[in-house]
Structures are given as structure tokens and as C-alpha cells.
Amino acid sequence: MNLDEAIKISELVKEADTNGFIGFRKAECGVQMWRDQFFKWSDGFNVKEREFDDCTKELSFEYNGVVFFTLIEKESVLNE
């Protein structure tokens, strides 16, 4: 799967959720990725970092107008 396919799938998931299908999830702020996939796909993009809560950081990048993000523990950010 590439980033364009992920965007298409996330749009379908959002439509399914809007129409009442249970078990589908899409974050309103973008497409959430597992950490290892995020680091694989974010290479070469301008990755932004922000505090999500006391224990968690959000890392994100934008591709074709869609934000891809991952949430990681603050200690993990320092070790990457």
C-alpha cells in the first residue's frame, strides 16, 4: 500500500463511519499510522512534532493535503 491508496481507503472508512457502519475508524485530523510504518513513509517529508498530552508526542507530515501521523511516548521520541 502506498500513501495514495491510504488516502482512498481512509475516505471510504470515513464514509462507512458516517453511514453508521460500526468497526471502522478514521481520525478526523488525518490518517494514523503505526510507528514503524510512519518512520518508513515519512522519510523525505517535513515531519512536525507537537505535544499530544503529558506522556505522548504526535509526529506528522502532510501528503496531497492529508496529514499522516503517529503517536509515541515522549521517551521514544528522544531515542529515535
Side-chain angles (χ1 to χ4, degrees), residues 3-76:
L3 296 176
D4 290 315
E5 291 168 337
I7 291 169
K8 288 178 187 176
I9 290 170
S10 68
E11 290 168 351
L12 291 172
V13 168
K14 183 176 181 182
E15 181 181 337
D17 186 55
T18 300
N19 289 305
F21 291 93
I22 297 172
F24 294 100
R25 241 183 90 212
K26 177 189 178 292
E28 289 300 318
C29 56
V31 177
Q32 186 172 4
M33 303 173 82
W34 292 110
R35 183 173 77 172
D36 58 336
Q37 289 300 313
F38 178 87
F39 287 117
K40 173 184 171 184
W41 287 102
S42 66
D43 188 41
F45 288 95
N46 180 26
V47 175
K48 297 179 183 175
E49 180 180 314
R50 74 173 185 94
E51 186 170 320
F52 184 78
D53 62 24
D54 289 343
C55 302
T56 312
K57 291 269 187 182
E58 177 189 274
L59 301 178
S60 65
F61 68 92
E62 189 172 327
Y63 173 78
N64 280 352
V66 175
V67 174
F68 290 83
F69 70 97
T70 192
L71 300 175
I72 60 177
E73 295 176 21
K74 287 183 179 179
E75 290 180 12
S76 296

